[in-house]
Every structure is written in structure tokens, then in C-alpha cells.
Amino acid sequence: MRRLMASMLLTAYCLVSHAQEPLQTYGCGTLYSFGNSFNIYPEGFVRHTGQMLLIDGKSSLSVGKGASQVTMTLTDQNGASSVETVQIVCTEPGNLSGDKRATVLCVGESTTGTVNPNPWTGSYGSGWNWVSMMKAKSMEHGTDIVCLGTETIAEAPLEACYTSHGGWSSYTYLNWPCAAKMDPGAPKHFFKSETMWYALGLRGLTGKEYSGESWQFDLMAGIPFGKYPVDEHPCLLEFAESFGGRYGYPVFEGDIRDWALRLAVNPINEFYCLDAARNGTSAFSLDAYLERYRTMDDRGNRLESPDGNPAGKEVRGSDGKIYRIGTRIVSQALLKKVSVCRPGYVVVNIGINDGDSATSVEATASSLERLLKSFPDIPVAHFVMRWPGACYPGLWAPAYRTFPYSVGGNGERVMSIMPVLAGRMDGRQDITLLDVWHCQSPVSQHQEKYSGGTLDCSVNDVHTGYGGQMDAAFQVLGWLYHAIESSL
């Protein structure tokens, strides 16, 4: 009996001790609002694979209109808990000057380019991605926001442009004229680790063949294509022969260095600049982007030209200044569709693909930092989206059918990168790291379908759907209003 009692006491002690262990969570940053209510979700606080959380015993926490702070209790499936307090910056649109226009360059990965109609109505009227949703909501407020970029959807119901590339990492935008990613699962027409090594000329620079060592990945992340002559390696020749003349690559005519030069001179990456690659630490150039794609004066008013091919034409803007229309604006259709001028604000949605790359956490944070610092004297905001899925799918039934949430290797890496990036950004007033991660709906999924009273968002896919995009749009718009008010 004594042995049994001792065993029971030991078991009880272990259970209590386990329940009292500190709960490890992924901390929330400052959130933004424009006086709207919004939700915070426990999935955003999940730190490790297998962890399942609730907020105040529920699947979400509603933050009231105009709140400046909210405190909540998180609990996991084992009974461990922690108390979290989140700060909120609220800027009412009525606080902004009625004649203040904001020109906002929107750049991102596939989570920016994804098209998501309202799943309940099938409409694109309130937007189809976070950029257009931000624009639609600003129109409701009567604020004047121009979303800049090179693409939009056909027959868009509102004017909202952006520049996006699915699968691209921060170092792709920074250093490459085309798609490149250190991920064996990347599409076949992407430069991958081995071909990247030789395309960057790193055998010639280091004297080493590619062997997949960690230092090689980190070195590749920091070298722009075109800085060094390419190495004539069989894998690079095979790549050029396989994809030359397709996917935007030049036709391969037998000389790999000539092929690489033609790619660098006519890049797929809208921001790539060969001169910057040769003379600087990256190939990223906002000036090159403007030279190729400008269609507006710097007030955000569209330039006009009677020419059927207006590329390179000098015209006078509404501000009285002379501007040169972009060299790639070769038709009147592009002059009316593309929206590009020197931005007053920049929003960068990059990170999921950095989570898939082979670089170290430090090297990845460095790439993100360099990208965000590539817009001097312009306020910049950055955010990354979370994989969809709910900790407790049953709590969302029957209105939603959702995929179970798990952070996985990609999510854990992103959550390791962001605190390092935040440390690098500490004290900077011109760069803001937005926290969409904690307020992005878990029951929102690209390819979601509504039928019979249920939104089926149970597909296992990295891309969020309509609701998650709207949550991102609200955070971006809240930050933008705050940035505009701060400049008045």
C-alpha cells in the first residue's frame, strides 16, 4: 500500500510539474488598426511541431475597435499556459489630410500574386489579394492610395498593381536576373544550388567545386549574378540548353558567357541591374525598375503619350516635370495597365521561400535586411504570411472544414529568422516589421470552396485564401495610415 501511495503521489507531482512548465510561444509584435475590430489567433503563437494552443480557451480573440492593448491567456493541450500582452497602434482614417496621396509600391512572392475571389459570392469587387483589398478598403474610407506595380488581374474591378514572383526568395530579388532558389523542390526552370554556384562564377572565385557545404549556400546568398564571369561547367551548359528560349531565358547559341550576359542585359527580375551587380553588393535597383516601367509622374498621375509605342518617350507630368516613360512600356495597353512611379511607401511580402532555402538563419536575415534597405529614404514595411490550418479544426465546424495546423520545418525556420531580422532592424524608424502572422485567419485557404453552408479550406497548401489575405490587407493599411499621419 505504501508503495502504491508513493507511486500515485509521484505521478500527481509529475503531472502538476508538467502543467506548470513555462509555455513556449512565438511572440506577437505590435499590431495595427484603422479603428476596425480584428481577431488574433492561437496558431500565430504556436512555436513547435505538435503544439496546439487556445486563446482564453477559445479558437480566437476578438480585439475591439480602437483598442490600444489586449491581454490574453494561451494554453496548450497539456495544460501549460502563459499570459501575453499585445500592443496595438490605431490610426483613424479621419485623422489623415484629405489631400494627402500615398503611392505604395507592393512587392512580394506568390502570396502577393495569388488571386482569391470572395468565396461566398465569387466577386473580386472587394479585392483578390492583400494589395487590392487594401485599395478597396481605402476607397471606402475616402483616402487616396495608389498601389504601384507591374501586374494586376485582367479586367480588374479596381486599380491595384503589384510586382510578385512565386517561389522567389529575398536573395533572388536582390541578386538574380531570373528565378533562382537553393531548394531541390523548386520548379525545374529555376537555377538551383549547383547551377547557381557556377552561374555566379564561384568556382573561379574560390577554386572550389560545388559540394553542398553550408558556407557555399551562405556565400551564394550574398553574391549578385554578373559580378564574376560564369564558370563553364557541364551542369550550367545543360541548364542553358534545356531552358534557353523558354521561361524568359535567351536562346542558347553555344557560348555560356554570352548567354549569361544576354540574360543580365534583359532580365526577368524587374529590379535587376547589371551595373549594380558589377559595382555594388547586390543587383537590386529601384532606379532600374523606374527606367523600365515608369507610367506615372511622382504624384501618381498617369503619363500621357499619343504614340502607339510610348517606350522611352519624354513627356510632361501633371506636376510640370519631364519624365521618361519606361523602356518596357511598348504599348498603350501597358501605359494604362502598369502603375509605376517613385513610391512614397514600400511594402514587401517576402519570407516563405526564404524558409525553404539552404542558407543559415544569419545569412537569410542578412538578405532580408539588405532587400529592405534597398529603398533609401522611403518608409518600408515587411511581413510574411503563415501556413493555413487550425489547431483544433473541430472548433470551426460546421461553418469551416480546415486542415490541421502544424508549423513544420518551413514555419520553424521562418520563426527563427524573424527575431534575428528584428534585432538587425532595432532602432530603425524607416523599416517596420509587420505582424500578419498572429492575426491571419487559420480557416482561409487558396482554392477554398463554399458549398452547403461550409467553406472547405482543408487543402494542404502554403497559400492563404480570401480571409487571410484580408487580414494582411488590414494590417498593411493600419500601418500605412500610421506612417502617413506621422509624416503630416
Side-chain angles (χ1 to χ4, degrees):
M1 177 62 79
R2 288 180 179 177
R3 185 173 298 173
L4 177 61
M5 288 294 294
S7 177
M8 292 173 63
L9 287 170
L10 178 60
T11 300
Y13 174 77
C14 289
L15 287 172
V16 171
S17 296
H18 184 71
Q20 292 178 345
E21 290 177 357
L23 180 62
Q24 292 187 332
T25 61
Y26 182 55
C28 188
T30 298
L31 301 180
Y32 289 83
S33 83
F34 44 83
N36 58 302
S37 61
F38 62 93
N39 290 333
I40 298 175
Y41 299 98
E43 288 76 13
F45 292 91
V46 171
R47 187 63 188 89
H48 301 294
T49 300
Q51 190 180 46
M52 298 167 63
L53 299 179
L54 292 171
I55 294 180
D56 294 342
K58 300 176 182 178
S59 58
S60 65
L61 173 70
S62 179
V63 179
K65 295 182 178 181
S68 60
Q69 180 178 287
V70 63
T71 299
M72 69 205 77
T73 300
L74 295 163
T75 53
D76 71 2
Q77 68 268 39
N78 299 313
S81 66
S82 69
V83 176
E84 305 279 345
T85 298
V86 177
Q87 304 300 319
I88 302 161
V89 175
C90 176
T91 307
E92 298 278 355
N95 295 350
L96 309 182
S97 171
D99 60 355
K100 175 68 173 179
R101 167 173 284 186
T103 52
V104 188
L105 175 60
C106 304
V107 181
E109 53 197 1
S110 58
T111 47
T112 291
T114 301
V115 176
N116 296 284
N118 183 318
W120 294 278
T121 66
S123 170
Y124 295 107
S126 56
W128 55 91
N129 62 0
W130 63 266
V131 181
S132 53
M133 292 171 181
M134 173 182 68
K135 172 66 175 182
K137 183 57 66 173
S138 72
M139 292 170 66
E140 291 180 18
H141 298 156
T143 53
D144 192 0
I145 292 176
V146 180
C147 297
L148 305 175
T150 52
E151 63 188 282
T152 188
I153 63 171
E155 300 180 355
L158 52 87
E159 191 171 312
C161 288
Y162 39 91
T163 297
S164 65
H165 289 283
W168 285 26
S169 299
S170 55
Y171 59 74
T172 317
Y173 269 109
L174 272 174
N175 296 326
W176 287 82
C178 58
K181 187 181 181 187
M182 294 174 238
D183 173 13
K188 60 183 180 179
H189 64 279
F190 278 43
F191 277 92
K192 299 180 186 178
S193 297
E194 183 179 27
T195 46
M196 288 173 69
W197 180 259
Y198 297 107
L200 292 173
L202 296 183
R203 179 179 64 181
L205 181 68
T206 67
K208 301 289 185 180
E209 300 289 345
Y210 172 77
S211 57
E213 296 180 62
S214 58
W215 69 270
Q216 293 182 312
F217 297 128
D218 286 359
L219 180 61
M220 283 190 282
I223 301 294
F225 180 96
K227 193 169 191 67
Y228 304 108
V230 300
D231 298 317
E232 296 186 15
H233 189 273
C235 76
L236 189 55
L237 294 169
E238 181 183 354
F239 183 90
E241 289 170 350
S242 298
F243 301 112
R246 298 190 292 155
Y247 302 104
Y249 295 111
V251 173
F252 182 59
E253 298 174 342
D255 186 325
I256 191 63
R257 291 191 173 178
D258 172 71
W259 182 82
L261 177 61
R262 285 186 286 124
L263 174 59
V265 170
N266 188 31
I268 299 163
N269 181 356
E270 297 86 348
F271 297 94
Y272 178 88
C273 176
L274 180 57
D275 285 344
R278 287 171 170 169
N279 301 310
T281 57
S282 84
F284 192 94
S285 171
L286 177 59
D287 287 338
Y289 182 80
L290 294 171
E291 181 182 345
R292 292 175 181 131
Y293 296 101
R294 181 185 283 279
T295 59
M296 294 175 163
D297 64 27
D298 285 344
R299 288 180 177 173
N301 294 310
R302 201 163 294 279
L303 299 172
E304 296 182 1
S305 170
D307 295 79
N309 179 357
K313 302 297 182 182
E314 289 190 345
V315 297
R316 189 176 299 276
S318 65
D319 55 3
K321 298 178 182 179
I322 299 297
Y323 294 92
R324 190 183 298 274
I325 295 172
T327 57
R328 291 188 176 182
I329 306 302
V330 296
S331 68
Q332 284 290 325
L334 286 172
L335 185 59
K336 292 177 174 62
K337 178 184 177 182
V338 172
S339 296
V340 169
C341 66
R342 186 169 295 278
Y345 304 88
V346 176
V347 182
V348 178
N349 166 219
I350 294 285
I352 288 177
N353 295 293
D354 287 278
D356 286 338
S357 292
T359 50
S360 67
V361 166
E362 284 289 341
T364 306
S366 176
S367 290
L368 284 163
E369 178 189 19
R370 288 188 294 131
L371 180 60
L372 299 180
K373 290 168 67 175
S374 297
F375 305 94
D377 304 318
I378 301 173
V380 178
H382 167 270
F383 71 92
V384 59
M385 289 187 179
R386 196 185 70 245
W387 283 65
C391 286
Y392 295 93
L395 295 178
W396 294 94
Y400 299 89
R401 182 180 300 116
T402 185
F403 192 82
Y405 181 67
S406 178
V407 294
N410 178 288
E412 288 191 328
R413 233 181 86 84
V414 170
M415 288 189 289
S416 296
I417 294 164
M418 291 309 296
V420 178
L421 178 61
R424 291 171 173 266
M425 296 293 102
D426 188 38
R428 294 191 69 105
Q429 301 300 312
D430 56 336
I431 298 175
T432 302
L433 303 182
L434 299 180
D435 190 344
V436 169
W437 195 273
H438 287 80
C439 52
Q440 175 191 316
S441 173
V443 290
S444 174
Q445 174 66 66
H446 184 53
Q447 303 179 51
E448 59 200 2
K449 304 292 184 184
Y450 180 71
S451 177
T454 297
L455 183 67
D456 187 347
C457 45
S458 60
V459 178
N460 183 15
D461 188 284
V462 66
H463 303 98
T464 188
Y466 182 85
Q469 290 276 352
M470 189 69 77
D471 293 329
F474 281 19
Q475 284 301 304
V476 173
L477 190 57
W479 166 79
L480 185 58
Y481 284 172
H482 173 67
I484 294 171
E485 184 184 47
S486 299
S487 70
L488 296 177

